[in-house]
Amino acid sequence: MTVSRSICLGFLVAILVGAGLLLLPISTASGDWNNPVIALFTATSAVCVTGHVVVDTGSYFSPIGQVFILTLIQLGGLGYMVSTTFLLLLLGRKFGLRDKIALQQALDRSKLQGSNQVVKSIIATILVFELTGIILLFGVFSQQYATPLALWYAVFHSVSAWNNAGFSLFPDSLSSYQFSWMVNLTISGLVIIGGIGYEAIFEVYLWLRDRLTRKQTRTLFSLNFRVVTSTTVMLLTLGTIAFYLTESHNPATLRSLSWNQQLISAWFQSMTTRTAGFNTIDIGRMTNAGLFLTIAFMYVGGSPGGTGGGVKTTTIRVLSSCTKAILRGKESVTMYERQIPVSLILKAVGVVVGSITTIVSATTLMSIADPGVEFINILFEVVSAYATVGLSTGITAALSVSSKLILAATMYMGRVGVLLLMAALLGDPRPSTVRYPEESLLVG
């Protein structure tokens, strides 16, 4: 079996197993057998770390069901190959070449060396940040709830935030904590760092370690780090400004708030579109301009190697640099004084074309299945599912069974990636030595 098929089947098996667990009577608060569509949709959303829900997670599912969902979120955030590799390491099994190649493809790494150490570092990073989030959130939740419940809320939301899942045990997501700086900053920090990619996190750690030990072994950050961090900062800043401008005059969202409250709400909205899925305002009551901006930011998503979805920040930067090069009459694409390989440009084009094809197809099918739903709401739902964000205008639960299954399939394709899924179906691409003569044609 090829590497791409192993990864795709691994996610599919996790979804089916999760759906089976959520189908059991012990998983529901009522003690009855769960609806198969609800179980499958929720399991898909959890494994794909999306956050789309058709029922209220906190009241519909029992504590055991919530544990199942949290486990699926953690498994989905880690990814099939990282989770499998970690289990192999715990069992003391040797790490073969095929496992290293699979892990390299799953994490989008450029090299095979140090795979064991990478997995250990990922697990350690997760523990550090999730435990920090638990401590900070517990301090807030413990003021309102009994210690056991406050601790569970802190654990659930910390894990959900780090994995960019967007699942919440509160019926209004985090709207009740719209003005809590601690909750806003903690959730934002977990989402941003979790979505920025492990490679970037490791580079910062190594840079700090060298600084503290006064070593001069690392003086420059990689191109990936520069692109990821600069793009993330730019998108968060532009998003905050854009949401403030589009929603500050909307009485249903920001208009009735003070300037400071408007700013923190606009910031949180900008952050959550990076595939987080939490919300502190009513998404369904946003202006069309605000919804369309959210769709655009959701489509970009997080960064490679992180827990976020979307087409990724690096993809957008590569294509924008291509446009810049064309406008300047250049025949090569450069970023930070580094030339971008043609193969990487072709991959970025393939990701965008594949993602647009998926979104258009899913939106068309859902428009046919639910003709009474507004187009902007369907498009919002589909992009949110593909980018594994989980934000919704509130139509998810009312959608037909067909539309829910389409959304579930879209979440799956968004999580594994269109190119990886196509490679699994058609077989891994093989380089060709055949070269054809060039001929120009008209474009644009």
Side-chain angles (χ1 to χ4, degrees):
M1 183 180 293
T2 63
V3 171
S4 56
R5 287 175 183 170
S6 298
I7 296 174
C8 291
L9 285 176
F11 274 105
L12 188 59
V13 169
I15 289 171
L16 294 177
V17 171
L21 292 174
L22 295 179
L23 195 63
L24 299 175
I26 59 172
S27 296
T28 62
S30 63
D32 300 323
W33 285 91
N34 198 356
N35 183 303
V37 175
I38 294 177
L40 178 62
F41 190 94
T42 305
T44 305
S45 183
V47 172
C48 298
V49 290
T50 304
H52 262 314
V53 294
V54 290
V55 294
D56 176 36
T57 306
S59 60
Y60 185 87
F61 290 99
S62 66
I64 295 178
Q66 294 170 15
V67 171
F68 287 153
I69 292 173
L70 194 65
T71 304
L72 293 174
I73 290 172
Q74 189 71 83
L75 177 64
L78 274 172
Y80 166 71
M81 286 312 306
V82 177
S83 303
T84 303
T85 303
F86 181 61
L87 290 176
L88 292 177
L89 292 175
L90 288 179
L91 295 174
R93 285 188 54 184
K94 291 185 177 180
F95 206 48
L97 178 62
R98 186 176 182 277
D99 298 319
K100 293 180 180 179
I101 295 175
L103 186 64
Q104 177 195 28
Q105 190 167 349
L107 293 177
D108 201 15
R109 299 184 70 225
S110 58
K111 55 186 178 180
L112 291 175
Q113 294 84 356
S115 298
N116 290 15
Q117 189 59 42
V118 167
V119 173
K120 294 176 182 178
S121 299
I122 288 175
I123 300 300
T125 302
I126 291 172
L127 290 175
V128 168
F129 281 101
E130 287 185 351
L131 284 174
T132 301
I134 290 170
I135 294 171
L136 295 175
L137 291 175
F138 177 75
V140 178
F141 296 149
S142 61
Q143 298 176 12
Q144 296 178 266
Y145 305 98
T147 299
L149 186 59
L151 181 59
W152 173 237
Y153 282 164
V155 170
F156 191 95
H157 289 87
S158 178
V159 173
S160 182
W162 172 259
N163 291 286
N164 281 220
F167 274 87
S168 176
L169 296 180
F170 304 121
D172 59 353
S173 189
L174 296 176
S175 296
S176 300
Y177 298 93
Q178 184 178 12
F179 312 128
S180 171
W181 284 93
M182 181 60 72
V183 172
N184 276 262
L185 294 179
T186 300
I187 295 294
S188 297
L190 290 171
V191 168
I192 293 170
I193 299 174
I196 207 169
Y198 292 109
E199 291 287 340
I201 296 173
F202 296 158
E203 285 196 48
V204 172
Y205 167 75
L206 292 174
W207 181 81
L208 290 174
R209 186 193 65 181
D210 292 345
R211 287 288 180 177
L212 292 174
T213 56
R214 296 185 178 180
K215 292 182 179 179
Q216 299 297 325
T217 55
R218 297 182 64 88
T219 56
L220 295 174
F221 289 107
S222 68
L223 177 62
N224 178 75
F225 179 87
R226 294 182 184 183
V227 172
V228 163
T229 52
S230 62
T231 308
T232 298
V233 172
M234 178 182 66
L235 289 174
L236 288 171
T237 304
L238 290 177
T240 302
I241 296 172
F243 286 119
Y244 175 79
L245 294 176
T246 56
E247 296 298 321
S248 59
H249 301 293
N250 183 3
T253 54
L254 301 183
R255 184 178 178 180
S256 60
L257 308 179
S258 66
W259 186 84
N260 289 337
Q261 293 171 341
Q262 288 179 346
L263 186 62
I264 190 175
S265 297
W267 157 262
F268 195 89
Q269 182 62 26
S270 175
M271 175 279 303
T272 198
T273 57
R274 311 302 312 291
T275 82
F278 295 105
N279 63 279
T280 57
I281 62 175
D282 189 347
I283 303 297
R285 302 179 71 182
M286 290 176 65
T287 61
N288 284 336
L291 290 176
F292 193 73
L293 280 172
T294 303
I295 290 173
F297 283 106
M298 288 193 300
Y299 180 73
V300 176
S303 301
T307 56
V311 296
K312 302 296 190 294
T313 53
T314 49
T315 301
I316 297 300
R317 281 294 296 273
V318 167
L319 294 181
S320 62
S321 296
C322 286
T323 305
K324 182 180 178 181
I326 292 171
L327 293 176
R328 292 187 173 184
K330 296 182 178 180
E331 295 184 356
S332 61
V333 179
T334 58
M335 299 171 66
Y336 295 100
E337 300 180 347
R338 296 291 187 273
Q339 185 169 324
I340 307 301
V342 175
S343 59
L344 190 62
I345 297 173
L346 293 176
K347 182 179 180 180
V349 173
V351 169
V352 170
V353 172
S355 62
I356 291 176
T357 303
T358 303
I359 290 170
V360 170
S361 301
T363 303
T364 302
L365 292 174
M366 285 183 61
S367 298
I368 296 173
D370 286 280
V373 181
E374 290 186 30
F375 174 77
I376 186 70
N377 291 334
I378 291 179
L379 179 62
F380 189 99
E381 207 82 4
V382 170
V383 174
S384 180
Y386 179 82
T388 68
V389 180
L391 290 176
S392 174
T393 56
I395 67 170
T396 315
L399 292 173
S400 64
V401 173
S402 298
S403 290
K404 290 174 183 174
L405 294 178
I406 293 170
L407 277 182
T410 305
M411 287 188 282
Y412 174 74
M413 287 187 283
R415 183 65 183 95
V416 300
V418 174
L419 296 185
L420 190 67
L421 183 60
M422 293 303 296
L425 295 175
L426 304 177
D428 289 333
R430 297 178 181 179
S432 175
T433 57
V434 178
R435 296 182 63 87
Y436 296 96
E438 290 185 0
E439 183 174 350
S440 183
L441 73 160
L442 300 177
V443 295

